[in-house]
Amino acid sequence: MVKGYLYLLVAIVGEVIGTNLLKATDGFTKLMPTLYTIIAYVISFYFLSLSFKTIPISVAYAIWGAIGIILITTFSVIVWKEPLNAMTIVGLGFIIVGTILVNLFGTGH
């Protein structure tokens, strides 16, 4: 089970890197960021698929999505200087609560 969560962590990191690089591709007009984006997403999906061997898909996907969204939002504010408003913070709170509910009461348990 621990290995599954380690795979999930790698998948999350890959997805966050890939999404940030996606912005850097400038609409896939820049070759190197585009190639790095593809590599990051391949790594992300590969390790996400490995995590499904020991973690229920609903739980793994909820964690992957929630942590990914939170980290990408954090990077967008810090690195890309995008604004953050109160409703975005409320929405992130709902995502966190939803992920906790899936983990506690999902059918995979």
Side-chain angles (χ1 to χ4, degrees), residues 34-61:
T34 298
L35 292 176
Y36 294 144
T37 298
I38 292 167
I39 291 167
Y41 277 121
V42 167
I43 290 168
S44 178
F45 283 108
Y46 174 71
F47 281 94
L48 182 61
S49 73
L50 292 179
S51 75
F52 292 158
K53 291 181 179 182
T54 56
I55 304 170
I57 190 170
S58 61
V59 172
Y61 196 76

Side-chain angles (χ1 to χ4, degrees), residues 88-102:
T88 301
I89 294 168
V90 170
L92 291 171
F94 285 141
I95 291 168
I96 292 167
V97 169
T99 302
I100 291 169
L101 291 173
V102 167

